[in-house]
Amino acid sequence: MHSPVPLSAIPTVAAQLGRPASGLLSKVSIYRGDITRLQVDAIVNAADEAVLGGGGVDGAIHRAAGPELLAECRLLGGCATGQAKLTKGYRLSASYVIHAVGPVGEKPLLLASAYAASLDLAQKHGLKSIAFPCISTGVFGYPPEAACRVAVGAVKKWMEGANDLERVVFCVYNEKSQSLYSEFLAPATTNT
Ligand code: AR6
């Protein structure tokens, strides 16, 4: 297993930009790398409706968590697109996995719903930190830029409501996504 990455090693966007530690930017980070290493309360999995593992980030999470994760997933009874379900994290550094099902192709309402449903679940279970992969942008073919706009918008909107979440990490896997998130996050919050 790769060494875990603690939250303390991941700066917030506010810290990176030298902005005041208030508002959304002080609760959001962009991390480039393998989501399975993140030592957060929950990592989000980009699952499908069967919630029984697969390729991409789903495969990586199941490999890192071990077979107990699939055993618990078998008990979930699937998950509708735009919804999310929670399991334990087993051998991961994260305590929980939130299995979110994004849409196949560009369907912004369903993608936004997958983000909001994941955040609702985190809040319901009293979790303080959560890391998202770029849901739907791999096998499910959502164009990365459009998906980034929806992801940032959905998280921003959700964070504006009452909640106890202390950190949301956008876990990107390549340089292109990293710059997309930097571009969409900074202007999105200049007035907060
Ligand atoms: N850490 C973080 N991000 C990753 C990792 C990783 N280890 N590996 C890949 N990514 P995808 P989807 C990024 O295809 O499009 C599965 O088979 C990747 O670069 O994993 O929602 C499921 O079982 C991309 O940006 O998820 C479903 O059937 C992003 O994760 C289906 O694929 C999402 O790509 C879900 O497709």
Side-chain angles (χ1 to χ4, degrees), residues 24-38:
L24 181 74
L25 289 189
S26 64
K27 292 187 173 181
V28 169
S29 303
I30 302 167
Y31 173 82
R32 175 147 61 102
D34 183 1
I35 201 167
T36 65
R37 295 179 61 193
L38 299 184

Side-chain angles (χ1 to χ4, degrees), residues 45-46 53-60 63 139:
N45 182 16
V57 69
D58 197 358
R63 277 193 299 278
V139 175

Side-chain angles (χ1 to χ4, degrees), residues 26-173:
S26 64
K27 292 187 173 181
V28 169
S29 303
I30 302 167
Y31 173 82
R32 175 147 61 102
D34 183 1
I35 201 167
T36 65
R37 295 179 61 193
L38 299 184
Q39 209 166 37
V40 288
D41 289 343
I43 59 170
V44 176
N45 182 16
D48 58 24
E49 289 191 338
V51 206
L52 293 173
V57 69
D58 197 358
I61 288 172
H62 276 269
R63 277 193 299 278
E68 297 95 334
L69 178 61
L70 182 58
E72 187 177 352
C73 282
R74 290 191 197 285
L75 308 174
L76 294 175
C79 181
T81 300
Q83 297 301 311
K85 291 201 175 172
L86 179 132
T87 64
K88 286 186 276 186
Y90 299 97
R91 296 176 210 177
L92 288 164
S93 300
S95 308
Y96 297 94
V97 179
I98 292 176
H99 305 264
V101 184
V104 178
E106 198 169 343
K107 295 181 186 122
L109 292 179
L110 285 171
L111 186 60
S113 168
Y115 278 89
S118 301
L119 292 162
D120 285 344
L121 258 187
Q123 173 72 14
K124 185 177 156 197
H125 289 268
L127 311 185
K128 303 285 186 218
S129 56
I130 183 171
F132 285 99
C134 305
I135 299 173
S136 285
T137 62
V139 175
F140 279 0
Y142 209 117
E145 186 166 346
C148 174
R149 186 182 307 117
V150 171
V152 169
V155 168
K156 183 170 188 274
K157 186 174 168 206
W158 190 92
M159 295 290 280
E160 281 165 2
N163 71 83
D164 303 303
L165 222 66
E166 290 170 4
R167 188 79 73 86
V168 177
V169 179
F170 290 106
C171 180
V172 298
Y173 212 47

